[in-house]
């Protein structure tokens, strides 16, 4: 039979609940520590890579610095943990990092293991062309039919993915990104199917050499992630990212977007919040 808690028992239970909540307050833990511990990679431009000065840079890195700035008004109050892609979720689960921003695609399966933030980038596949090549744009490639060859990174879904955009094209798969781009440079491929972020980065670095065919498909959302159950911490990181894209830190976000992707963003419309339209 159920027995009601005594006053003392009730008080002890409530204290226990609040103690547990306090222990689980990641935001306060980070503030008390005085710096952010952030997980990301170091080998994938324009997201996270080492520059000529051996400094960690990239769009993911800029997003993490925005979080540090929101916490401490200091974008340098941050310790980076260099991690592989398969360490992103385990490092969150074991508290080795406070947050991971590492071009992490949102999936339903991953959402059962981490708490995803709001997306800070929408990825997709694009077609890279040589600026002085035979084919000027997507329409020209599609008109080329079976005479078109597309290089792509080797993947079980690679042929299906390319044929979603160019149904008749010949698909050449390569086991490295460098070989995929070499095929385009050497003329063995008429186009390279690659992430649109990579396409924009290569065009930014080589504006007279490469061009965008002007067609994108296979959308994916990139979000940061935190450990499950840390709602206050998740709310804070979401607030930072939201205001970076729509509010007080828009200029910082827009400058980073232009640096890494070569695209100037239009300022958010003033007036009624566009999120609710």
């Amino acid at each position: 039979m159920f027995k009601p808690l005594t006053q003392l028992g009730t008080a002890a239970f409530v204290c226990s609940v609040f103690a547990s909540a306090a222990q689980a307050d990641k935001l306060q833990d980070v503030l008390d520590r005085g710096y952010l511990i952030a997980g990301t990679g170091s080998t994938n431009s324009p997201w996270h890579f080492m520059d000529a000065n051996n400094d960690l840079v990239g769009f993911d890195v800029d997003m993490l610095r925005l979080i540090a700035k929101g916490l401490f008004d200091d974008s340098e109050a941050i310790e980076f943990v260099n991690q592989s892609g398969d360490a992103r979720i385990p490092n969150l689960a074991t508290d080795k990092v406070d947050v991971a921003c590492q071009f992490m695609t949102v999936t339903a399966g991953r959402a059962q293991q981490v708490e995803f933030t709001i997306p800070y980038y929408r990825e997709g596949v694009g077609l890279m062309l040589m600026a002085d090549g035979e084919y000027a744009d997507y329409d020209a490639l599609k008109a080329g039919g079976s005479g078109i060859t597309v290089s792509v990174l080797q993947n079980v879904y690679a042929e299906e993915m390319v044929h979603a955009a160019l149904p008749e094209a010949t698909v050449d798969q390569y086991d490295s990104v460098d070989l995929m781009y070499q095929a385009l440079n050497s003329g063995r491929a008429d186009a390279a199917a690659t992430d649109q972020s990579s396409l924009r980065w290569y065009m930014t670095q080589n504006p007279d050499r490469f061009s965008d065919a002007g067609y994108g498909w296979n959308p994916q959302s990139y979000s940061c992630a935190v450990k499950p159950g840390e709602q206050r911490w998740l709310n804070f990181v979401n607030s930072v990212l939201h205001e970076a894209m729509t509010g007080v830190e828009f200029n910082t976000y827009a400058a980073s977007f232009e640096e890494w992707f070569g695209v100037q963003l239009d300022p958010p419309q003033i007036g009624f919040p566009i999120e609710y339209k």
Side-chain angles (χ1 to χ4, degrees), residues 187-265:
R188 288 180 285 114
D190 301 298
T194 187
D195 289 342
Q196 289 191 27
S197 59
S198 297
L199 195 162
R200 289 170 175 171
W201 167 250
Y202 275 93
M203 287 177 59
T204 299
Q205 300 302 300
N206 308 274
D208 300 322
R209 185 167 182 79
F210 300 111
S211 65
D212 184 350
Y215 180 77
W217 74 106
N218 271 29
Q220 302 175 43
S221 297
Y222 285 172
S223 291
C224 299
V226 301
K227 185 178 179 179
E230 298 170 348
Q231 188 62 49
R232 186 167 176 245
W233 176 233
L234 176 63
N235 292 347
F236 173 80
V237 177
N238 275 339
S239 295
V240 170
L241 294 176
H242 184 270
E243 293 313 299
M245 292 181 283
T246 65
V248 294
E249 287 291 352
F250 174 76
N251 288 341
T252 304
Y253 180 90
S256 176
F257 204 96
E258 183 175 5
E259 178 177 7
W260 304 118
F261 307 126
V263 176
Q264 291 185 342
L265 298 176

Side-chain angles (χ1 to χ4, degrees), residues 92-146:
L92 286 168
T94 56
D95 292 311
K96 291 182 179 177
V97 300
D98 303 318
V99 59
C101 296
Q102 194 172 349
F103 64 3
M104 193 171 184
T105 301
V106 177
T107 68
R110 287 173 174 169
Q112 298 174 42
Q113 303 175 73
V114 298
E115 301 273 12
F116 279 115
T117 66
I118 59 173
Y120 61 90
Y121 187 84
R122 177 80 12 88
E123 185 62 281
V125 180
L127 293 163
M128 181 186 289
L129 305 172
M130 300 302 297
D132 59 354
E134 180 180 354
Y135 300 94
D137 54 24
Y138 173 68
D139 288 338
L141 289 171
K142 198 166 185 180
S146 59

Side-chain angles (χ1 to χ4, degrees), residues 26 33 35-40 79-83 87-100 227 230:
K26 172 65 75 173
R33 186 198 304 134
Y35 61 92
L36 177 70
I37 302 177
T40 194
E79 175 185 302
F80 291 105
V81 173
N82 184 12
Q83 58 187 17
R88 291 174 298 190
I89 292 175
N91 281 355
L92 286 168
T94 56
D95 292 311
K96 291 182 179 177
V97 300
D98 303 318
V99 59
K227 185 178 179 179
E230 298 170 348

